[in-house]
């Protein structure tokens, strides 16, 4: 195929290196140079094509490439596939205690949602904040818990629980006065 010829030529010129069924640029500066020359539209289209190719090549066994699929479809700004694969990759990362990876994919999904699904956005903000809390990113955790409250879809019980969680984060910082204010706010909501 034409794509195979292109890959073969790029390997011959030592632009790409083949590693199993994956390709990577020989130097990161080459990748950066190619990215800089592409317009946003072209980058999105390229990411989409790479994602579709990965899907096709790995049909029936997507789990090993879920991170790659999430990366490419999120960067392609494909709402449906980016959210689907992004959530799977984030949850996989979270289960493996790969906190940075989980946070990155959850944030990518949040970028795609852009207020289209407030309930899912609320749940993801809670997940991200919890991971950030356990990873020691306290200010980020507070920010994401606060963003979930700003969606104004939480019940009073959920709001109280989020206030408790924000209080727990402040307690860990340790900022006890702020923690007490949050705990009291949560109690007042009940």
């Amino acid at each position: 195929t034409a794509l195979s010829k292109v890959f073969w030529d790029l390997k011959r010129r030592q632009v790409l290196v083949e590693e199993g069924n994956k390709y990577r640029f020989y130097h990161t500066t080459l990748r950066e140079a190619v990215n800089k020359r592409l317009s946003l539209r072209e980058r999105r289209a390229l990411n989409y094509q790479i994602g579709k190719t990965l899907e096709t090549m790995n049909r029936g066994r997507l789990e090993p490439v879920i991170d790659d699929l999430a990366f490419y479809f999120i960067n392609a700004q494909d709402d449906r596939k980016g959210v689907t694969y992004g959530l799977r990759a984030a949850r996989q990362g979270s289960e493996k205690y790969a906190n940075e990876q989980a946070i990155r994919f959850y944030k990518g999904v949040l970028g795609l949602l852009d207020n289209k699904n407030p309930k899912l956005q609320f749940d993801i903000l809670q997940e991200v904040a919890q991971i950030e809390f356990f990873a020691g990113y306290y200010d980020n955790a507070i920010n994401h818990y606060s963003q979930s409250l700003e969606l104004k879809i939480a019940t009073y019980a959920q709001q109280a629980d989020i206030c408790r969680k924000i209080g727990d984060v402040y307690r860990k910082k340790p900022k006890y006065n702020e923690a007490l204010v949050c705990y009291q706010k949560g109690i007042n909501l009940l």
Side-chain angles (χ1 to χ4, degrees), residues 79-107:
D79 295 348
R80 191 175 58 81
K81 291 182 183 212
V83 168
T84 300
Y85 292 131
L87 287 175
R88 284 171 65 181
R91 289 176 182 139
Q92 227 178 45
S94 182
E95 289 167 5
K96 292 188 267 181
Y97 299 101
N99 296 327
E100 300 292 331
Q101 175 184 336
I103 291 167
R104 188 175 60 251
F105 284 123
Y106 276 133
K107 285 182 176 180

Side-chain angles (χ1 to χ4, degrees), residues 32-58:
E32 290 168 3
V34 168
N35 270 330
K36 282 183 183 177
R37 290 188 174 214
L38 295 174
S39 70
L40 180 59
R41 193 180 107 271
E42 290 170 325
R43 267 195 308 263
R44 284 180 180 170
L46 180 61
N47 280 303
Y48 182 80
Q49 279 307 119
I50 294 169
K52 287 296 289 176
T53 302
L54 278 172
E55 268 185 328
T56 303
M57 289 173 55
N58 295 282

Side-chain angles (χ1 to χ4, degrees), residues 90-173:
R91 289 176 182 139
Q92 227 178 45
S94 182
E95 289 167 5
K96 292 188 267 181
Y97 299 101
N99 296 327
E100 300 292 331
Q101 175 184 336
I103 291 167
R104 188 175 60 251
F105 284 123
Y106 276 133
K107 285 182 176 180
V109 170
L110 285 170
L112 292 176
L113 289 175
D114 194 34
N115 297 323
K116 293 174 192 155
N117 186 336
K119 171 67 173 113
L120 182 57
Q121 195 173 0
F122 176 82
D123 293 340
I124 292 170
L125 286 166
Q126 296 289 303
E127 282 293 318
V128 171
Q130 182 179 2
I131 294 167
E132 290 168 335
F133 173 68
F134 289 123
Y137 302 123
Y138 300 133
D139 292 333
N140 292 345
I142 291 167
N143 182 44
H144 286 114
Y145 280 132
S146 298
Q147 284 180 26
S148 70
L149 286 173
E150 289 168 11
L151 292 173
K152 300 192 183 308
I153 63 167
T155 65
Y156 286 121
Q158 288 172 320
Q159 290 176 47
D161 191 46
I162 294 168
C163 288
R164 177 194 55 80
K165 290 175 183 176
I166 294 173
D168 291 346
V169 177
Y170 276 123
R171 189 173 46 83
K172 276 293 229 190
K173 281 188 79 158

